[in-house]
Amino acid sequence: MPNKELIQHIEQLKKDKGAVILAHYYTRPEVQAVADYLGDSLALSVKAKEIDAPIILFAGVNFMAETAKVLSPEKRVLIPVPEAGCSLAESCNATDLAALKAKHPNHIVVSYVNTSVEVKALTDICCTSSNALQVIESIPREQPIIFAPDRNLGSYIQKLTNRDNMVIWDGACTVHEEFSLEKILQLKEENPDAKIVVHPECKAYIAAVADYIGSTAGILTYCGKSEATTFIVVTEAGILSEMQKQFPNKKFIPAPPIDSTCGCNECRYMKMVTLENIIACLESESPEVILDEATRKAAEQSIINMVTIQ
Ligand code: 13P
Ligand code: SF4
């Protein structure tokens, strides 16, 4: 069936079921097209709580749908592909984090939202790439911190805040760690007026050549406000469709990964969500996110603590 018909079918199902679709910028362009709300991790977490609908379908990876369920236990949260994980979330499990906490009992735990609900249950305050700086700055300087799981975001924030009392987890996103500095610099040579915009999940030597470092939403805002007309975009390439839509007169060049044949500047998990599996999910109202209530409750406060810091 052509996309146009699939999209019409989804719109009808949404009406029939009272469902709302939240989608992350890294999903496929046609999936973004059926979203009622498109956003970065922070915006989608906030939206999931605010939304007045009995069903939320989360077009994204599983930690995002879990976060929506943690915040809105009374709503049904559907996830078309529950096995759509996240390399970063998988780099930190709850047993290992509990062991690290036991070693540092006086540390506050700040975790990126890219974590399982069990890790969030061991966390004092969550953060996203949009608000990590505000979250760390909200904590008294003398208070030691465990920051999990992204080593690149953690080191970047540590540098900005000049704090030496942060224990940083050794995790990373396989998409954001794969960009090639050599190829980015080559693109800059070919487009000398271009601005380089970088997500903080990238390695420090990539961030070092950035004109702007920020979350996907931050990058979008920067590109809109900047007088520059060409941008080399160093984050997951799914964001480019929204950039081109919002700023049709500007040029966005996706940064290439080290291995140009691997397609690894695309998140394979985000791309698992398709129009077909959204339809199947809405029709059957499954799979649905179901959480153990004690774990959900324990995780909830860490996300509320994050949202109230805004
Ligand atoms: P943001 O949505 O916070 O920019 O994070 C990017 C990401 O990798 C989400 O998985
Ligand atoms: Fe996880 Fe990286 Fe994919 Fe984001 S881009 S969902 S951090 S694997």
Side-chain angles (χ1 to χ4, degrees), residues 24 26 40-41 63-64 112 114 129 176 199 201 215-216:
H24 192 272
Y26 295 165
D40 69 350
S41 316
F63 77 81
M64 295 181 169
Y112 202 27
N114 297 42
S129 54
H176 286 91
H199 196 282
E201 286 172 22
S215 74
T216 43

Side-chain angles (χ1 to χ4, degrees), residues 286-302:
S286 74
E288 179 178 353
V289 178
I290 306 287
L291 299 176
D292 164 71
E293 180 54 18
T295 314
R296 187 203 69 76
K297 259 217 130 348
E300 186 177 28
Q301 196 55 47
S302 66

Side-chain angles (χ1 to χ4, degrees), residues 9-22:
H9 189 31
I10 290 173
E11 293 304 333
Q12 191 55 51
L13 282 167
K14 283 200 290 188
K15 268 196 206 129
D16 296 346
K17 309 256 177 185
V20 163
I21 298 185
L22 303 185

Side-chain angles (χ1 to χ4, degrees), residues 73-297:
E74 73 292 353
K75 291 170 196 153
R76 301 186 63 201
V77 178
L78 306 180
I79 175 159
V81 193
E83 54 281 15
C86 164
S87 56
L88 192 45
E90 281 153 23
S91 65
C92 179
N93 72 51
T95 311
D96 293 344
L97 181 59
L100 187 66
K101 276 182 74 162
K103 247 172 90 184
H104 300 281
N106 298 324
H107 287 46
I108 272 189
V109 179
V110 175
S111 298
Y112 202 27
V113 282
N114 297 42
T115 45
S116 67
V117 69
E118 289 81 11
V119 165
K120 287 187 180 78
L122 296 171
T123 294
D124 297 294
I125 316 178
C126 278
C127 72
T128 74
S129 54
S130 288
N131 62 14
L133 183 60
Q134 290 99 301
V135 168
I136 297 298
E137 282 181 337
S138 75
I139 299 167
R141 277 199 84 74
E142 61 282 6
Q143 170 63 56
I145 296 169
I146 292 173
F147 186 94
D150 188 359
R151 58 183 172 226
N152 297 315
L153 178 65
S155 306
Y156 171 62
I157 298 296
Q158 183 172 37
K159 202 170 134 203
L160 287 183
T161 54
N162 200 18
R163 286 179 91 119
D164 55 11
N165 54 358
M166 272 171 78
V167 175
I168 300 174
W169 193 271
D170 193 20
C173 159
T174 50
V175 177
H176 286 91
E177 281 220 321
E178 278 307 304
F179 291 107
S180 158
L181 179 61
E182 203 187 331
K183 291 176 188 171
I184 292 167
L185 294 178
Q186 175 67 36
L187 282 170
K188 175 73 179 171
E189 220 173 288
E190 292 159 14
N191 300 272
D193 296 331
K195 298 287 184 201
I196 301 175
V197 293
V198 173
H199 196 282
E201 286 172 22
C202 296
K203 289 184 173 172
Y205 64 77
I206 302 277
V209 301
D211 293 292
Y212 174 79
I213 302 169
S215 74
T216 43
I219 289 175
L220 265 171
T221 307
Y222 172 84
C223 294
K225 286 190 178 154
S226 170
E227 283 176 8
T229 53
T230 306
F231 300 88
I232 298 162
V233 183
V234 195
T235 188
E236 209 273 357
I239 184 77
L240 268 84
S241 61
E242 182 63 15
M243 291 178 143
Q244 214 61 75
K245 195 169 132 201
Q246 286 194 22
F247 315 113
N249 299 324
K250 297 191 175 191
K251 183 177 166 194
F252 300 99
I253 307 169
I258 295 164
D259 173 0
S260 48
T261 61
C262 70
C264 36
N265 59 343
E266 298 207 331
C267 173
R268 67 190 170 90
Y269 304 108
M270 291 281 188
K271 305 308 187 225
M272 285 178 177
V273 184
T274 63
L275 294 178
E276 286 83 354
N277 55 42
I278 288 176
I279 289 176
C281 182
L282 282 173
E283 278 178 346
S284 63
E285 297 185 19
S286 74
E288 179 178 353
V289 178
I290 306 287
L291 299 176
D292 164 71
E293 180 54 18
T295 314
R296 187 203 69 76
K297 259 217 130 348

